[in-house]
Amino acid sequence: MKLFTNKISYNNISQFLTINLILVIFILFTTCTSGDNVPSEISNDSYISAERIDGSFTLSEPGNSAPIFLSSEDWPGVIRVAKLLQTDIKNVTGNKPNLSTDQMPESGEIILVGTIGKNSFIDDLIHKGKINVEAIRGKWETFLIEVVDEPFPKVDRALVIVGSDKRGTIFGMFDLSEKIGVSPWYWWADVPVKKKNKVYVLPVSYTLGEPKVKYRGIFINDEAPALSGWSMAKYGTDRFNHNLYEHVFELILRLKGNFLWPAMWGRAFYDDDPINPKLADEYGIVISTSHHEPMMRAHVEWSRYGSGPWNYATNKENLRKFWKEGIERMNGYESVITLAMRGDGDEAMSEDANVELLEQIVRDQREIIKDVTGKNLEDIPQVWALYKEVQEYYDKGMRVPDDVTILLCDDNWGNIRKLPKLNEPPREGGYGIYYHYDYVGGPRNYKWLNTNQIERVWEQMHLAYEYGADRIWVVNVGDIKPMEFPISFFLDYAWNPKEYPAESLPEYYRNWAEEQFGVEYSSEIADLISKYTKYNSRRKPELLSPETYSLINYREAETIVRDYNELAKNAKRIYDTLSTEYKDAYYQLVLHPVIACANLNELYVTAAKNQLYAKQDRIETNNLAIKVKELFDKDAEITDYYNNVLAGGKWNHMMDQTHIGYTYWQQPDENNIPEVIEIESLANAKMGVAIEGSDNWWPQSNDEVLLPEFDKFNQQSYYIEIFNQGKTPFDYSIQTGEPWVRLYQPSGRIVTEEQLLVSVDWDRVTEGKHKVPITIIGSEGSKVIVQTLINNPSTPKGESISGFVEANGYVSIEAVHYTNAVGSNGISWQVIPNLGRTLSAVTSIPVTSPEQIPGGNSPHLEYQVYLFSKGEISVNVYLSPTLNFHNDPKGIRYAISFDDEAPQIINIATNPNYADLHRDPVWSRWVAENINIQQSKHNINKPGVHTLKFWMVDPGVVLQKIVIETETIAPSYLGPPESFNGSLLNEE
C-alpha cells in the first residue's frame, strides 16, 4: 500500500489530462454509488480505471478477462505467482483469465509477464524498442508495468509486466493485484476482494523504483501458544509445514518484502518439512536464521541432533560438524547466513567467553561456508547480530570481515541501541536493524495484541535509515496476527522511507483503512486504529494493574475508561453498519483490539475502585467485585468469539495468549482475575463523602475537606462523591457559601452513591482569592463541610494571555503547542503527529545534525508561561525513551532554560552496561511506562510572564510533554492534563 504517486509517465499532455479526468470521474462515481453499506474502493496512485479511454488496456470486461502469457523458461516462482494473479483477477471480476506459457494466446489483448533475460518475448520487445527497460535493468527487485500497442502480430495491445529479476516480476504482478482490489491481507485477515465488472489499465508506464532497503522481512517468534495451537488445529502439527509457510511467503511478497526468520521455539524450518526451504526459494523468499541460530541451523536442532555441550571452547568438533551440515543442506538456496554464537536457548554466552574466542568462531564458520559452497565469501550474504550482550563484544573491539552485515538491534521494546557513526567508512556488508513488535522478557512479556505506534516505528527506523542501516530490516512479529497493521507499515516504509515523511502518517492510516474496507469509513477507521495503538502503547496490556492509573487525581482512570469505551462504541457502530462480507476482517483488524483492550482497562480500573471503596466501607464495594467478575468473563467471551466463531473458526487458538494476572516478567499459565474485596455492609444508612484529589473519606477523616483550587483561566470542575455505607437509603441536601459556587444536584436521595460536579460562575466572582464552604447534610444525621478555593486574580487579564497559565502548582504543556520554534544552522523542528502518550511529539531534523551548543539563536523551542509562583521550581520533561544510539560517553542530551538564564544540559540516557537491559531498573521503568521523565531545577525571581526554552543539543531527542512544577504535583501515570493556553484560545 503506497501513499504517494509513484513513477508514472504519459505519452502526451492530452493523454495526461484525459486520464486524470477519468480518474476524477471514477473517484466521484465510486464515492457516490456505493450502496448497501458495501465499502466503495479507490486507489491513491492507481493506474487502474473502471472506464475505458483511448489507449487503455482491457484487463476484464463482463464475460472475458485478458489472458496471461509467460515463458516456461522464466523462474518457477514467477509462474507460480502468475497463477495467483490469475485467481486474483477471477475473484475481483468473476472472469478467470486463461494462463499459458510459450504459445501466444489468440487474443487481441494479452497480459505478458516475464523477467528480463528469462522471457524471449519480452526480450524481443526490448530489442525492437517497443519497451524501454533502462530504468529497471540490472536493478534489485524492480518492475515496470506498461501498456504496449501492437507488440506482436495479431495482438493489438499488451499489458507488459516486466521485472529486473525474479522478485521484481513477482512484485509487479502483486502490485497489479493490489491495485485492482486484492489486499495483501485477503487470507491472513479475511479482507474481501473489491468486486468490479470492468477493469482497465491506463496507458502509462509505472514503476516503484528500486527498494531502499535490500532485505525486508519478518521474524515469526514466541509462537506458542497462539500460532502453534492454530497450526495444530489447522494442519495437524505444531511443527510448521509448507502448508502454513506457503501463506507466509505469499503474504511477505504481497507486502513487497523478501526476507524471513522462521519460527524457532521447538520448530526447525528445514528439518520439520524439507519442502519448506525448496518452496521458499521458489517463491523468492530469502531464508535466514535468527540472531542466536548460526549457520542455517534452528535452535531446536541441537537438542535433536547435537552432541555434547553448546560450547565452542570444549565441543568444537561437534559444533563444526553440526554447522557444516546446515550449510550443506542450504543447497544453494538464496539465504543470509547468521554467524557467531550465543549461549544455548537465546541466552548469553558463559562468563568466560571472550572476543578472541568469538572471532575464532566466525573465522571457522566462514571457512566452513567457503569449503562447502566453493564460492567467494564476499558473494555469500552473511550477518552478525549485535543482540543484547553481543553488542558488548563489538564495543570491546570485536570485528567481523567487511562483507558481513552487522545487524544492530533495538532494546526489545522498539528503542534502537546503536547506529553506525556518520564518519565511519562504509562497509561492504552494510548495517541492518532487528526490531520488535513482540517480546518475551523483562520487564514483562508483551505478546497478546498490537501495542506499536507506527509513529514510533517511523521515528526509530527513520533514524536507522538516515544513519545508513539499510541492508536488512527484520521485525519480530510474534504470531503474525494480530500485528497486521504495523507489519504493513514496516514493509511499506522499508521499501522507500523517503516516501513517508512524518506529516504523512495520518494519511497512511486512512489509506490502509481504505485498502481494507473502502473509502466510506476509512477516516473513522483510521482514527480508531491510531487511537487504540496510542492507548495501548501507553502501557502494554500485560503491564496493567489496578495501580496503573490514578483514581483520585485528574480523573485519570475515569478518563482512560471513558475514552476506551467511546472508542469501542464507535468501532461497534461501524461494525454494525458494514455488510456481512466485511465483518470478519473488520473484527480482526479493528474491533477486536478495541473492545478487548477497552474491557481489560475497565477490568483493572474497576478492581482498583473495588479496593478503594472497600477502604471507605462503601456499599457499592461488593457490586464492583461482581462487575470485575463480569468483565473478566467478558474477556473470555471475546477470546472465545475470536477463536471459535470468527470466520467459521478459521483462527482457532490465535487468541490463546494469556494476558491477565502477570506477577513477574513471564506469562501466567492461565488468566487470573484481579484480587477483589467483599465487605459486610451496615443495615442502616450512613453517609460518607469523598472528593477529587484525595483517597480519604469524611466524616471518618479529621483532615480538612479541601478540593483542588479553581481558577478563572482553567475554569475547572471537581467532583464530590456522596456515598452510602449502609443498605438503607438516605436523603442529602447541600448549601453553598456563595451562590456562584454551583452544583448540578444540590439535593437528592442516595441509595449507593452519587458523583456531583462543583463549578464556578466566573461572571459573578469578584477579584481575589476566596474560600467558600459547601455544607452537605445527610438525613441520617451526618454533616460534612467541603472547602473550595477560588482564585480570580486581577492580573493577567484573559485577553492578554498568550501562553500557558499556572494553576494548582503546575503548568502542563503538550510539546506541539510551542509559542515559537527557532531553527538555525540548517536545523528545524519536526512535529510527529500522534506520537506519544497524550498528544504528539516534536524532534529536531535532520536527525544526522551535529551536536549544537545551546544558547543565543541555536535551535530551540519556546513556551510562554505565566507563573504566579517564584523561587525554586522544577521542570519535568517527558521524552520518548530513546537510547544513546550514538554510544557517545556524553550521552544524548537536550538543554533547558528560563528567559535569559544559561541553559542546563541534561543527559537523557547514558549507555547501560547491562547485557540484558531489564536488569537496569531505570531502563525498565522507561520502557514499562513508555516515557523518560527528566527533571531540572530553576529559580524564578518574580511572578509573571516567562519563556521556557527547550534547546537541541544532540539529535534524536523526542519531546512529548513538559510539566513545570511549582509545588509537588499530585501523582498520576500520564501527568497532569494540559493547562490553559491563551494562545490556543486566541486561535480558536
Side-chain angles (χ1 to χ4, degrees):
M1 191 272 294
K2 296 294 169 185
L3 183 58
F4 298 124
T5 301
N6 295 287
K7 298 178 182 177
I8 301 179
S9 61
Y10 301 88
N11 295 333
N12 54 58
I13 188 66
S14 62
Q15 190 180 78
F16 171 83
L17 294 173
T18 301
I19 289 170
N20 280 278
L21 177 61
I22 289 293
L23 282 173
V24 170
I25 294 171
F26 174 58
I27 290 169
L28 292 173
F29 175 80
T30 55
T31 302
C32 297
T33 60
S34 61
D36 301 323
N37 291 315
V38 177
S40 54
E41 186 274 345
I42 63 171
S43 295
N44 299 298
D45 55 0
S46 185
Y47 43 83
I48 299 299
S49 172
E51 300 294 328
R52 180 202 295 271
I53 68 166
D54 183 39
S56 64
F57 176 86
T58 304
L59 188 72
S60 186
E61 287 181 331
N64 182 60
S65 291
I68 300 170
F69 179 48
L70 304 99
S71 168
S72 61
E73 298 300 314
D74 216 322
W75 299 101
V78 168
I79 297 171
R80 179 182 286 272
V81 171
K83 294 175 182 177
L84 294 175
L85 174 62
Q86 179 187 37
T87 301
D88 290 345
I89 293 172
K90 174 185 179 294
N91 289 338
V92 170
T93 67
N95 300 309
K96 183 177 181 178
N98 290 325
L99 187 150
S100 62
T101 58
D102 301 334
Q103 186 65 41
M104 183 79 67
E106 294 182 2
S107 175
E109 293 185 310
I110 65 171
I111 303 169
L112 176 60
V113 178
T115 310
I116 296 173
K118 299 287 286 185
N119 184 311
S120 60
F121 297 94
I122 283 179
D123 292 345
D124 184 56
L125 291 180
I126 296 170
H127 178 72
K128 292 179 178 179
K130 291 282 188 176
I131 55 172
N132 185 345
V133 296
E134 292 311 305
I136 70 169
R137 189 193 296 272
K139 300 290 181 66
W140 178 261
E141 299 179 346
T142 310
F143 66 86
L144 175 69
I145 297 177
E146 185 170 334
V147 176
V148 178
D149 290 331
E150 300 180 349
F152 308 108
K154 299 182 182 180
V155 176
D156 298 327
R157 190 168 289 117
L159 175 64
V160 180
I161 303 173
V162 55
S164 62
D165 53 23
K166 174 170 61 178
R167 281 189 295 272
T169 309
I170 289 171
F171 291 153
M173 287 187 280
F174 278 147
D175 192 85
L176 177 61
S177 289
E178 190 173 9
K179 292 296 192 298
I180 66 175
V182 180
S183 166
W185 296 101
Y186 82 95
W187 193 88
W188 279 98
D190 303 301
V191 177
V193 300
K194 312 302 186 293
K195 304 289 187 181
K196 298 176 179 68
N197 290 324
K198 300 178 181 180
V199 183
Y200 303 93
V201 179
L202 300 174
V204 301
S205 295
Y206 178 85
T207 180
L208 285 174
E210 195 171 25
K212 303 301 184 185
V213 177
K214 187 168 186 177
Y215 297 110
R216 311 165 305 281
I218 63 174
F219 177 22
I220 301 173
N221 193 220
D222 308 324
E223 58 271 17
L227 190 63
S228 60
W230 173 79
S231 176
M232 176 62 78
K234 189 168 184 66
Y235 300 115
T237 176
D238 63 358
R239 293 189 176 187
F240 300 168
N241 61 26
H242 71 279
N243 295 309
L244 185 157
Y245 272 117
E246 183 165 10
H247 292 295
V248 175
F249 302 154
E250 181 186 341
L251 174 68
I252 292 171
L253 291 171
R254 285 184 183 270
L255 293 169
K256 296 186 175 67
N258 60 10
F259 183 87
L260 176 66
W261 278 356
M264 46 67 56
W265 289 114
R267 278 154 278 276
F269 182 78
Y270 273 84
D271 194 51
D272 290 344
D273 185 348
I275 298 176
N276 284 343
K278 180 179 183 298
L279 191 62
D281 194 65
E282 182 175 318
Y283 266 105
I285 296 297
V286 181
I287 296 298
S288 185
T289 47
S290 72
H291 56 89
H292 66 103
E293 300 177 292
M295 301 292 279
M296 303 306 293
R297 298 303 300 255
H299 161 255
V300 74
E301 289 187 87
W302 183 251
S303 63
R304 292 180 187 177
Y305 308 115
S307 176
W310 181 263
N311 186 319
Y312 200 71
T314 63
N315 198 24
K316 176 179 177 179
E317 292 308 315
N318 282 327
L319 282 164
R320 284 178 62 93
K321 179 177 180 292
F322 180 73
W323 290 337
K324 182 181 179 182
E325 290 168 355
I327 302 303
E328 289 172 339
R329 187 180 58 183
M330 190 173 71
N331 195 34
Y333 296 146
E334 192 175 7
S335 309
V336 176
I337 302 171
T338 299
L339 299 178
M341 191 174 181
R342 289 194 78 217
D344 193 16
D346 199 15
E347 297 292 337
M349 295 276 280
S350 61
E351 292 185 4
D352 59 352
N354 56 57
V355 167
E356 183 179 352
L357 174 62
L358 287 170
E359 289 180 337
Q360 183 61 53
I361 290 171
V362 171
R363 285 193 294 270
D364 291 352
Q365 289 171 337
R366 283 167 60 86
E367 179 184 323
I368 292 170
I369 295 169
K370 185 176 181 179
D371 289 346
V372 171
T373 65
K375 296 181 179 180
N376 292 326
L377 288 170
E378 294 78 8
D379 298 329
I380 301 173
Q382 301 152 66
V383 64
W384 179 40
L386 305 190
Y387 183 71
K388 289 192 176 181
E389 84 289 340
V390 180
Q391 182 177 309
E392 292 185 358
Y393 303 136
Y394 182 89
D395 293 339
K396 291 175 181 177
M398 178 178 171
R399 293 295 181 265
V400 292
D402 194 62
D403 59 280
V404 177
T405 301
I406 293 178
L407 192 67
L408 306 166
C409 304
D410 69 356
D411 59 355
N412 302 301
W413 288 73
N415 309 297
I416 292 174
R417 296 184 68 188
K418 188 183 188 70
L419 287 173
K421 294 187 182 300
L422 293 172
N423 58 358
E424 287 181 343
R427 303 182 70 261
E428 182 183 341
Y431 296 88
I433 295 293
Y434 170 35
Y435 201 75
H436 282 77
Y437 288 165
D438 167 287
Y439 180 56
V440 168
R444 188 67 55 85
N445 295 357
Y446 62 97
K447 299 172 59 181
W448 178 44
L449 293 177
N450 175 29
T451 61
N452 304 280
Q453 277 196 295
I454 64 167
E455 293 83 0
R456 182 60 171 169
V457 179
W458 178 91
E459 186 270 327
Q460 288 288 286
M461 299 311 293
H462 172 68
L463 275 176
Y465 182 73
E466 292 297 319
Y467 276 77
D470 60 3
R471 185 59 55 91
I472 301 172
W473 284 11
V474 58
V475 59
N476 186 325
V477 299
D479 304 303
I480 300 178
K481 299 180 71 63
M483 302 298 173
E484 297 95 340
F485 176 66
I487 290 173
S488 288
F489 178 77
F490 189 87
L491 294 177
D492 277 339
Y493 191 65
W495 184 277
N496 186 3
K498 297 291 187 183
E499 191 174 316
Y500 298 94
E503 55 270 18
S504 75
L505 295 177
E507 189 69 3
Y508 184 90
Y509 284 99
R510 195 198 66 78
N511 286 336
W512 192 84
E514 180 182 328
E515 180 174 71
Q516 316 314 318
F517 306 107
V519 69
E520 185 173 359
Y521 300 108
S522 60
S523 294
E524 290 180 271
I525 293 171
D527 184 64
L528 292 170
I529 297 172
S530 68
K531 282 181 176 171
Y532 99 70
T533 52
K534 183 183 195 72
Y535 296 167
N536 278 359
S537 73
R538 288 169 172 166
R539 193 170 185 89
K540 310 289 189 187
E542 293 86 347
L543 277 159
L544 290 173
S545 73
E547 295 74 37
T548 299
Y549 297 112
S550 175
L551 287 176
I552 60 175
N553 295 320
Y554 317 120
R555 298 181 211 164
E556 184 178 62
E558 173 186 331
T559 302
I560 292 292
V561 171
R562 183 195 66 217
D563 289 350
Y564 259 117
N565 285 341
E566 183 66 22
L567 206 64
K569 177 182 175 183
N570 290 335
K572 184 66 165 59
R573 172 181 53 80
I574 294 173
Y575 177 83
D576 290 340
T577 62
L578 288 172
S579 62
T580 301
E581 64 177 327
Y582 282 91
K583 287 185 184 294
D584 285 344
Y586 182 82
Y587 188 90
Q588 293 167 65
L589 299 176
V590 184
L591 183 59
H592 174 261
V594 172
I595 61 173
C597 290
N599 183 76
L600 186 68
N601 277 265
E602 186 172 7
L603 168 68
Y604 280 115
V605 170
T606 304
K609 289 176 69 175
N610 164 266
Q611 293 165 22
L612 175 64
Y613 281 22
K615 294 176 184 177
Q616 298 172 345
D617 292 325
R618 298 197 195 196
I619 195 171
E620 187 67 9
T621 300
N622 294 350
N623 289 335
L624 290 176
I626 294 171
K627 186 177 180 182
V628 167
K629 178 63 165 60
E630 292 171 347
L631 293 166
F632 184 76
D633 290 343
K634 184 179 178 182
D635 177 271
E637 292 168 6
I638 293 170
T639 297
D640 180 72
Y641 181 87
Y642 196 114
N643 282 342
N644 299 312
V645 180
L646 174 69
K650 176 180 177 180
W651 300 112
N652 189 20
H653 296 292
M654 198 59 83
M655 278 300 132
D656 281 358
Q657 180 60 53
T658 56
H659 49 276
I660 305 175
Y662 276 75
T663 57
Y664 71 121
W665 70 266
Q666 185 58 282
Q667 68 193 36
D669 292 334
E670 60 184 8
N671 289 328
N672 296 305
I673 191 169
E675 181 181 353
V676 294
I677 301 172
E678 295 183 344
I679 63 173
E680 287 291 332
S681 298
L682 300 173
N684 297 324
K686 185 177 180 182
M687 183 180 79
V689 173
I691 62 171
E692 185 167 346
S694 175
D695 59 0
N696 286 335
W697 67 275
W698 290 268
Q700 186 268 347
S701 174
N702 294 320
D703 294 342
E704 182 180 26
V705 194
L706 186 63
L707 284 167
E709 185 178 85
F710 298 79
D711 74 272
K712 72 173 182 180
F713 300 106
N714 291 280
Q715 298 196 7
Q716 304 93 334
S717 65
Y718 298 113
Y719 66 77
I720 296 173
E721 290 181 337
I722 304 174
F723 58 86
N724 198 346
Q725 294 179 322
K727 299 176 181 178
T728 305
F730 67 88
D731 296 325
Y732 74 91
S733 61
I734 300 177
Q735 296 177 344
T736 62
E738 293 288 353
W740 36 262
V741 174
R742 302 183 300 195
L743 284 95
Y744 170 69
Q745 193 172 344
S747 63
R749 168 161 287 204
I750 301 296
V751 178
T752 56
E753 62 185 25
E754 289 288 342
Q755 187 181 89
L756 310 175
L757 289 180
V758 182
S759 61
V760 175
D761 183 354
W762 290 101
D763 292 335
R764 301 169 64 186
V765 182
T766 58
E767 290 184 352
K769 291 190 174 183
H770 308 270
K771 189 172 186 179
V772 179
I774 298 173
T775 303
I776 305 169
I777 299 173
S779 61
E780 40 55 274
S782 298
K783 182 170 88 170
V784 174
I785 299 175
V786 179
Q787 298 292 345
T788 63
L789 299 177
I790 290 91
N791 186 9
N792 187 15
S794 57
T795 57
K797 299 296 183 183
E799 61 275 8
S800 66
I801 294 290
S802 59
F804 294 89
V805 179
E806 176 190 354
N808 282 301
Y810 68 84
V811 181
S812 182
I813 303 167
E814 292 291 346
V816 292
H817 292 153
Y818 47 77
T819 308
N820 192 26
V822 177
S824 63
N825 304 325
I827 298 168
S828 58
W829 295 92
Q830 173 72 61
V831 172
I832 307 176
N834 195 52
L835 174 59
R837 304 196 308 175
T838 49
L839 190 58
S840 297
V842 184
T843 192
S844 60
I845 55 171
V847 294
T848 53
S849 301
E851 170 188 340
Q852 300 292 298
I853 299 174
N857 199 43
S858 73
H860 65 278
L861 299 170
E862 296 180 348
Y863 299 89
Q864 186 169 310
V865 298
Y866 191 97
L867 301 178
F868 296 104
S869 303
K870 64 178 183 178
E872 186 178 76
I873 66 170
S874 300
V875 175
N876 302 311
V877 174
Y878 290 58
L879 305 158
S880 294
T882 303
L883 300 179
N884 181 14
F885 62 89
H886 303 289
N887 291 113
D888 190 320
K890 293 180 290 188
I892 181 169
R893 300 161 297 165
Y894 70 93
I896 195 85
S897 66
F898 271 101
D899 304 324
D900 295 326
E901 73 172 338
Q904 298 181 41
I905 296 179
I906 309 294
N907 176 18
I908 74 170
T910 57
N911 189 18
N913 292 319
Y914 299 97
D916 284 330
L917 282 172
H918 74 263
R919 300 181 188 278
D920 177 1
V922 175
W923 172 87
S924 292
R925 186 177 69 251
W926 290 349
V927 296
E929 299 178 356
N930 201 18
I931 205 75
N932 175 353
I933 303 175
Q934 296 290 326
Q935 187 177 84
S936 57
K937 301 289 186 179
H938 305 262
N939 191 64
I940 300 299
N941 293 327
K942 61 180 180 180
V945 177
H946 296 275
T947 301
L948 176 66
K949 300 176 182 178
F950 178 89
W951 303 86
M952 180 217 166
V953 177
D954 294 313
V957 176
V958 181
L959 176 65
Q960 295 187 19
K961 180 174 177 171
I962 301 173
V963 177
I964 301 170
E965 193 173 356
T966 61
E967 300 173 7
T968 302
I969 59 173
S972 66
Y973 184 76
L974 297 174
E978 189 169 36
S979 301
F980 170 84
N981 183 356
S983 300
L984 291 180
L985 188 65
N986 293 334
E987 288 176 10
E988 292 171 1

